[in-house]
């Protein structure tokens, strides 16, 4: 043990120093599994200050990593915590993604397109309205008439539901036509055929189509899905059958999408007559046009550029369509993204308060300014200003709030740390009125893009950290949808591809991942088969506004004098002995009132207790890091 008087601080060349107080092993209730007991077990440090180099070193070489973040630590305000992976109820693995390797999923691309359509004014606000007016005397649609309704934003949800009812009604009519084809023997029977889905064509998309397509209202690509299914079914038959389809003899392959679309359009003639819609097959697509102005159609027109807006399903019972033929000017929106250093902002707090109460059902008296500051504003990270030498990005290193404003209204705030090798996402809160924009996913995509863009200013900046991945908590599994991701081995602190880790975590919550990564590198048949057979059926199925979040520790957890288990056996030292570096506690720099001469101030019993505590501290933070940081005793300030 070294007192500060007998040692100089061993810090990096950046300004500042890391000073922490050891809270020991802490227990609390779990915010993930919601257990009734104090089953969440972590080791805690109270951080008076932390340099970005100690939180994450700038080296690109994995073997040289000796920092808190890459040893499994996270922060909640100024409280640093690391799960006791073998004993805690929900083992938490640090998860990251190399930004340059990111491959967005279909759903993630859809989120970006939805935002762009909203900004263009073609989603949710003052769009063409369609009403389904219930007629008790008939179950068919009788006539399409023109009307314009300039609804306020409060009526948009009602209009959207009516529009969705129309889409579902048309989808049902197509499914009926498919069944007629099966009964008549024109389609194979005894196989599961896909259900139809009709999509609305936005006004903006119609402007991009060829002349004569201005009255295109809805479209379906069901013919392509039917053709693929029928073709697979025919190829699977042992004996090739001669199937009569629309007067054509088909052998080896089934009907083409063009033929199927033409047949379905023919079967829907009655719908066209009763509804006033014009229904045509165009190059395999089944299109529905407004009959108010007949379009001159070319059978070879391809409409693959039609917007693929998602349609919710609901039951539709008889009625008639009332469709607007006039198109009010779409209202465009402006999105601004601002990055600011972490500080208290009353507007942000009001948004956070509203989010916690409406989304997480917190009680109003629980969402206080004090708890907000402690959780998302306070930060021990020492700010590093831009250097202009390609080692620091233009914003600098430290803790930041990324604001999202739509038409100058604050709609979301991302709480992030920008570090030498990554952007580390802590939390996101958003306006419940804008839930339809999936701001949780959209902000994650923006943060990944930010890392890519700023690599030119800081080449070491390569990763996006999403916090902890908790496999035992299904709501947290969405993080692995940002592919290809890696999980941190809790023992050797090596990064292991998620595809290797997932089947292992399916079996038990705590795994030394690096053991199996080594087997995979040696082409072990057992682990390879398990990984290859793994299906990602539950990834990305969470709520569209899932956020990257770290747990908001309560008052007991954030209090350095909270419940401690220091008298319990040190499981980390007794069970996790492989790959743990050795160190000498005499090299730890200690600071605190009355510690200039530890040998004189502390008696034998006190010294033994302190030495035991220092050994646990060195094990949990690592030998090299424990010698770089200052160990604070009590209230040293």
């Amino acid at each position: 043990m070294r007192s500060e008087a007998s040692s100089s601080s061993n810090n990096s060349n950046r300004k500042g120093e890391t000073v922490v107080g050891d809270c020991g092993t802490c227990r609390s209730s779990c915010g993930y599994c919601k257990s009734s007991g104090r089953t969440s077990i972590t080791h805690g440090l109270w951080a008076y200050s932390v340099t970005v180099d100690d939180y994450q070193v700038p080296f690109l070489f994995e073997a040289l990593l000796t920092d808190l973040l890459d040893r499994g630590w996270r922060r909640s305000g100024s409280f640093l915590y690391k799960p006791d992976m073998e004993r805690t109820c929900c083992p938490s693995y640090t998860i990251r993604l190399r930004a340059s390797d990111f491959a967005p999923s279909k759903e993630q691309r859809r989120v970006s397109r939805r935002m762009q359509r909203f900004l263009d004014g073609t989603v949710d606000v003052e769009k063409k309205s369609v009403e389904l007016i219930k007629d008790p005397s008939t179950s068919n649609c009788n006539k399409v008439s023109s009307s314009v309704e300039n609804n306020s934003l409060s009526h948009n949800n009602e209009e959207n539901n009516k529009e969705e009812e129309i889409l579902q009604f048309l989808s049902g009519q197509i499914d009926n036509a498919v069944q007629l084809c099966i009964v008549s023997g024109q389609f194979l029977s005894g196989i599961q055929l896909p259900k139809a889905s009709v999509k609305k064509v936005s006004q903006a998309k119609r402007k991009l189509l060829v002349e004569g397509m201005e009255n295109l209202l809805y479209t379906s690509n069901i013919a392509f899905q039917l053709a693929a299914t029928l073709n697979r079914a025919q190829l699977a038959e042992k004996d090739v059958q001669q199937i009569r389809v629309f007067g054509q003899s088909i052998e080896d392959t089934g009907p083409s999408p063009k033929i199927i679309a033409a047949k379905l359009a023919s079967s829907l003639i009655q719908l066209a007559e009763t509804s006033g819609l014009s229904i045509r097959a165009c190059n395999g697509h089944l299109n529905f046009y407004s009959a108010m102005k007949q379009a001159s159609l070319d059978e070879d027109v391809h409409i693959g550029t039609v917007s693929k807006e998602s349609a919710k399903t609901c039951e539709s019972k008889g009625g008639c369509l009332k469709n607007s033929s006039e198109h009010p000017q779409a209202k465009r929106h402006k999105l601004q993204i601002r990055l600011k250093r972490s500080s208290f902002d009353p507007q942000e707090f009001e948004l956070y308060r509203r989010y916690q109460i409406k989304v997480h059902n917190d009680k109003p008296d629980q969402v206080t300014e004090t708890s907000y500051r402690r959780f998302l504003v306070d930060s021990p990270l020492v700010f590093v200003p831009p250097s202009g030498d390609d080692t620091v990005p233009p914003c600098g290193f430290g803790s930041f709030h990324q604001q999202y404003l739509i038409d100058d209204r604050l709609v979301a705030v991302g709480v992030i740390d920008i570090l030498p090798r990554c952007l580390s996402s802590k939390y996101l809160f958003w306006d419940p009125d804008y839930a339809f924009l999936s701001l949780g996913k959209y902000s994650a995509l923006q943060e990944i893009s930010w890392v890519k863009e700023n690599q030119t200013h800081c080449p070491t900046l390569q990763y996006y950290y999403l916090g902890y991945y908790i496999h035992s908590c299904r709501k947290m599994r969405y993080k692995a949808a940002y592919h290809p991701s890696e999980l941190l081995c809790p023992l050797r602190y090596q990064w292991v591809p998620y595809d290797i880790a997932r089947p292992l975590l399916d079996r038990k919550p705590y795994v030394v991942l690096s053991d199996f990564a080594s087997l995979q590198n040696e082409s072990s048949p057992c682990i390879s088969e398990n990984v290859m057979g793994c299906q990602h059926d539950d990834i990305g199925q969470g709520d569209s506004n899932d956020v990257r979040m770290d747990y908001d520790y309560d008052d007991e957890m954030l209090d350095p004098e909270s419940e401690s288990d220091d008298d319990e056996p040190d499981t980390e030292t007794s069970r996790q002995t492989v790959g743990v570096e050795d160190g000498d506690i005499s090299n730890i720099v200690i600071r605190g009132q009355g510690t200039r001469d530890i040998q004189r101030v502390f008696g034998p019993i006190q010294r033994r207790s302190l030495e035991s505590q220092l050994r646990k501290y060195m094990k949990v933070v690592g030998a090299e890091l424990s010698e770089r940081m200052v160990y604070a005793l009590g209230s040293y300030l």
Side-chain angles (χ1 to χ4, degrees), residues 595-620:
T595 60
R596 290 186 176 276
D597 188 348
I598 294 177
Q599 298 294 332
R600 182 176 61 83
V601 173
F602 287 90
I605 297 178
Q606 291 175 309
R607 283 203 303 271
R608 284 197 297 271
S609 176
L610 177 59
E611 289 171 357
S612 175
Q613 186 175 351
L614 290 175
R615 290 190 187 95
K616 295 177 182 178
Y617 165 76
M618 177 172 284
K619 289 292 184 182
V620 78

Side-chain angles (χ1 to χ4, degrees), residues 6-224:
S6 61
S7 173
S8 60
S9 180
N10 183 21
N11 292 316
S12 68
N13 56 358
R14 302 190 202 273
K15 293 181 179 180
E17 64 179 358
T18 298
V19 182
V20 297
D22 190 4
C23 301
T25 302
C26 304
R27 292 180 178 270
S28 73
S29 58
C30 182
Y32 300 111
C33 66
K34 307 296 183 182
S35 62
S36 57
R38 299 169 67 84
T39 58
S40 177
I41 305 175
T42 64
H43 194 106
L45 298 175
W46 184 261
Y48 298 97
S49 65
V50 177
T51 67
V52 294
D53 289 345
D54 285 338
Y55 201 51
Q56 186 179 55
V57 295
F59 303 128
L60 287 176
F61 303 102
E62 299 288 331
L64 299 178
L65 298 184
T66 54
D67 57 62
L68 292 166
L69 193 64
D70 292 288
R71 291 183 65 91
W73 292 83
R74 298 288 292 176
R75 74 173 186 88
S76 176
S78 294
F79 182 74
L80 306 180
Y81 60 99
K82 178 182 180 180
D84 185 328
M85 296 289 279
E86 291 190 82
R87 293 195 296 159
T88 192
C89 55
C90 297
S92 307
Y93 298 81
T94 302
I95 183 171
R96 76 176 185 182
L97 164 77
R98 186 185 290 271
S100 59
D101 294 340
F102 174 56
S105 66
K106 182 178 179 180
E107 169 60 23
Q108 290 159 355
R109 292 194 298 270
R110 185 181 295 117
V111 168
S112 295
R113 291 196 298 268
R114 186 186 303 126
M115 174 63 80
Q116 189 57 53
R117 291 198 301 271
F118 172 75
L119 298 178
D120 291 341
T122 59
V123 170
D124 199 50
V125 179
E126 294 185 0
K127 64 182 180 181
K128 177 171 61 62
S129 61
V130 181
E131 285 190 319
L132 182 70
I133 302 178
K134 186 175 182 180
D135 183 351
S137 64
T138 178
S139 62
N140 295 321
C141 295
N142 297 323
K143 186 177 181 181
V144 174
S145 61
S146 307
S147 68
V148 177
E149 294 185 4
N150 294 320
N151 295 317
S152 64
L153 186 60
S154 62
H155 293 141
N156 280 337
N157 289 337
E158 180 181 354
E159 294 301 321
N160 290 341
N161 290 336
K162 293 175 181 177
E163 179 97 330
E164 291 161 3
E165 289 180 336
I166 294 172
L167 297 177
Q168 183 62 15
F169 173 79
L170 295 177
S171 299
Q173 295 299 307
I174 296 176
D175 289 336
N176 291 338
V178 172
Q179 291 301 315
L180 290 175
C181 292
I182 294 175
V183 172
S184 63
Q186 298 176 88
F187 292 169
L188 284 176
S189 61
I191 61 174
Q192 183 68 38
L193 293 177
K195 296 293 184 180
S197 176
V198 176
K199 308 294 184 181
K200 180 179 178 293
V201 182
S202 68
Q203 180 182 354
K205 290 293 184 181
R206 288 199 297 273
K207 292 179 180 179
L208 301 178
L209 300 177
V210 298
E211 185 177 357
M213 303 288 281
E214 296 85 358
N215 286 358
L216 177 60
L217 300 179
Y218 311 101
T219 187
S220 175
N221 65 354
I222 184 60
F224 292 90

